Amino acid sequence: MMTLPFDEANMVTLMKDVSNGMLDNLSDPSINQTIEDAYLVVMHSKLAGADSDTITLATRYKALSLLWMSSDVASGVSSDKAGRLETDYSENATNPWEEAYQNLLASLGFGKWVIKLG
């Protein structure tokens, strides 16, 4: 395990609180590993020199984004009924956590678009 600049148990609790049940079937060790992966992504981004609160928030958003990508919602599944073997798909599967991460980057001046003049 790597040393993180925030309380990992508190991070897991916060993520579970905001995930709308997305993390209910995942073990804490799986979530912790994803947090560590997300932290590495953040620390290799333009946020590497940011304050600890920003790093913590960015790590939370990125971890939730990574976990969202493996969820049923990301696959477009809007409902699944095992009794009748029926699966409904949504055409609008968007990752709200990646959007939050990108908005955080943009609010700090690290948006997707870079224009150089001169």
Side-chain angles (χ1 to χ4, degrees), residues 65 94-104:
S65 174
T94 58
N95 186 337
W97 301 109
E98 185 63 24
E99 186 176 334
Y101 177 76
Q102 293 300 326
N103 287 339
L104 177 63

Side-chain angles (χ1 to χ4, degrees), residues 30-86:
S30 294
I31 297 169
N32 287 334
Q33 183 59 55
T34 305
I35 291 169
E36 289 182 15
D37 294 346
Y39 177 74
L40 288 174
V41 170
V42 169
M43 293 312 295
H44 286 90
S45 74
K46 297 173 184 175
L47 293 176
D51 64 87
S52 64
D53 288 341
T54 301
I55 295 296
T56 301
L57 184 59
T59 300
R60 184 178 325 133
Y61 288 163
K62 184 52 84 173
L64 285 163
S65 174
L66 293 171
L67 291 166
W68 184 91
M69 287 190 275
S70 64
S71 71
D72 284 345
V73 177
S75 303
V77 175
S78 59
S79 69
D80 201 8
K81 298 177 184 172
R84 296 184 356 202
L85 299 177
E86 179 181 310

Side-chain angles (χ1 to χ4, degrees), residues 9-19 23 56 60 64:
N10 187 47
M11 175 75 83
V12 170
T13 300
L14 289 170
M15 288 172 57
K16 286 181 177 181
D17 287 347
V18 300
S19 70
L23 308 181
T56 301
R60 184 178 325 133
L64 285 163

